Amino acid sequence: MAIRSLSRRDFIRLLGLGGSAALLHACGINENTPLPVVETNANLEPDIEISLKAVPGEVALLEGAATQVWRYQGEVLKGPEETLQTIPDSYLGPIINVRTGQTIRVHFTNGLDEPSIIHWHGLHVPVEADGHPRLVIDPGETYVYTFQVLDRAGMYWYHPHPHGRTGPQVFAGLAGLFVVRDDEEAALGLPEGEYEVPLVLQDRIFDGENQFVYSGTGMMMDQMIGFLGNRMLINGRPDFRLPVKTRPYRVRLLNGSNSRIYKLAWEDGTPLTVLGTDGGLLEAPLQRQYLTLAPAQRLDLWVDFSGEEVGS
C-alpha cells in the first residue's frame, strides 16, 4: 500500500474543508432560526435612510385574473426623494440610487408569511449587513442595515437570501436594482435621466389562472439544472416595449432569472458596445457581436439610435 505524505499546505487545506463540512452539518438543521433583531453599525450617522417592506400584492400581467406577487415597497426617510426610483407598472422593487462614500440605513420589515432577509448582491458590506441566511427575520419583524457604500459606480441589486427559499422568493417578485454613482462616472457625460434605461430580464411560467408556477415540470431535470420558464418578462412585463428617440442611450441589463442564461444580439448584426460589467465601467468600451448574460450578472451598454428611422 502506497502512503503519500501531506505537505503543510495540503494538511491545512484539508483541515479547513473538514471544519467547514462539520460547521455546515451542525448549522444546517436550524439555518433559518431567527436571531434577535439588532441594528448593524448603529453608531454611523446615515446620509440616506429608507424603509423597505416585503409584502404580498397583485399585478395585472396577462388578460384576465391578476397575478399574485411578492414585492418590495420603499419610502425615503432621510435624503433626496430621487433615492428611490419606481419602475412603472412593475412588481420589481424600487431602484435605490446612492453615491460612493455615502452611508445608508435600511429598515427592512418582513410582511410575508415566512422568514426572509435582504442580500445586497455585489456590494462590499460588513458581514452583519450582508443578508446571510442565519440573519433571517420572522414575519412582522424588522432588521436594520447601516453601511457605507464603498463600491465604485455600477449597477448592483438586492434580493432575498433565506436558506432554501431564495429561489422561490425571488421568483415571486422580490428583487430590485441598486445603482451606485461617483465623480469618475459623472465626468464621462454618459446618457442619464430618461436616456438611462434599466432592463431586468426574467423568465416565468404561468398557470391557467395567470399565477406564477415555480416548480416547473417537477421533473428531475428541473431540479438538476434549475428552474427555466417559458415566457419572457422585461422589467416585470410580458409585453414590454420601449419607445426611444433618435439619440444615444445607456442601457443597464440584469439577468434576474433563476437559471436561464441569455445570448443577446441585435437582429441585424450590429455590434453591441459594452461600457461596463458587474464591477462597474470598463477601462475602455468594447464591441461584441453578441453577449452572454448568466443569472445575477449585469451589463452596461451604449446604444445609439441616431441613425434609425422614426417608427422602425
Side-chain angles (χ1 to χ4, degrees):
M1 178 178 67
I3 299 177
R4 184 173 70 90
S5 62
L6 287 177
S7 68
R8 180 174 181 273
R9 176 180 298 177
D10 286 341
F11 177 78
I12 293 174
R13 178 178 60 82
L14 290 174
L15 182 63
L17 287 175
S20 298
L23 179 63
L24 288 173
H25 178 73
C27 294
I29 298 175
N30 295 311
E31 189 75 31
N32 272 338
T33 301
L35 299 180
V37 177
V38 296
E39 181 174 343
T40 64
N41 294 315
N43 58 318
L44 293 177
E45 181 62 29
D47 302 297
I48 292 173
E49 191 165 5
I50 64 174
S51 68
L52 283 177
K53 186 174 184 179
V55 296
E58 62 179 28
V59 60
L61 297 180
L62 305 176
E63 184 177 352
T67 302
Q68 303 298 312
V69 297
W70 288 350
R71 63 201 318 171
Y72 289 119
Q73 292 179 337
E75 180 184 0
V76 177
L77 305 177
K78 177 183 178 182
E81 286 301 315
E82 56 268 26
T83 297
L84 295 184
Q85 174 188 348
T86 301
I87 298 178
D89 302 319
S90 177
Y91 54 74
L92 292 169
I95 301 172
I96 301 175
N97 294 288
V98 299
R99 293 187 61 82
T100 301
Q102 287 185 320
T103 296
I104 182 172
R105 179 168 292 156
V106 181
H107 302 256
F108 168 59
T109 300
N110 182 7
L112 308 175
D113 60 1
E114 62 179 68
S116 191
I117 196 70
I118 291 179
H119 170 63
W120 311 99
H121 195 112
L123 293 175
H124 292 83
V125 297
V127 63
E128 66 271 16
D130 196 40
H132 190 277
R134 69 182 176 83
L135 300 173
V136 295
I137 57 174
D138 274 339
E141 293 184 334
T142 296
Y143 193 91
V144 182
Y145 306 80
T146 304
F147 59 89
Q148 186 178 28
V149 179
L150 302 176
D151 298 86
R152 60 195 294 256
M155 190 175 80
Y156 308 87
W157 67 301
Y158 59 97
H159 60 78
H161 209 246
H163 179 68
R165 293 291 296 169
T166 297
Q169 289 193 8
V170 173
F171 184 81
L174 292 175
L177 300 175
F178 193 105
V179 177
V180 179
R181 306 183 190 278
D182 61 20
D183 293 338
E184 177 188 19
E185 178 193 66
L188 299 175
L190 296 172
E192 58 185 3
E194 65 175 301
Y195 308 116
E196 179 183 339
V197 181
L199 297 178
V200 180
L201 312 182
Q202 298 172 310
D203 57 341
R204 294 289 185 267
I205 289 178
F206 292 86
D207 65 16
E209 300 298 322
N210 294 344
Q211 304 308 310
F212 288 153
V213 179
Y214 177 69
S215 60
T217 64
M219 302 294 288
M220 178 62 71
M221 188 59 67
D222 280 349
Q223 300 176 34
M224 295 294 291
I225 67 173
F227 172 86
L228 296 175
N230 59 11
R231 188 155 189 164
M232 277 295 304
L233 303 183
I234 310 283
N235 285 357
R237 303 298 309 181
D239 53 355
F240 182 83
R241 294 177 65 86
L242 177 68
V244 296
K245 298 179 180 179
T246 52
R247 56 151 294 149
Y249 279 74
R250 181 181 187 177
V251 178
R252 297 179 184 260
L253 293 165
L254 161 69
N255 181 353
S257 302
N258 288 69
S259 302
R260 187 175 297 281
I261 299 174
Y262 296 98
K263 182 177 180 179
L264 307 172
W266 292 113
E267 286 183 330
D268 62 2
T270 299
L272 291 153
T273 301
V274 185
L275 298 176
T277 58
D278 293 3
L281 293 171
L282 300 174
E283 184 177 357
L286 295 176
Q287 286 199 333
R288 295 289 185 267
Q289 291 302 119
Y290 66 89
L291 299 166
T292 54
L293 196 62
Q297 285 188 324
R298 287 88 68 203
L299 283 172
D300 197 342
L301 306 181
W302 171 278
V303 184
D304 193 351
F305 298 107
S306 298
E308 303 294 332
E309 294 183 7
V310 174
S312 62

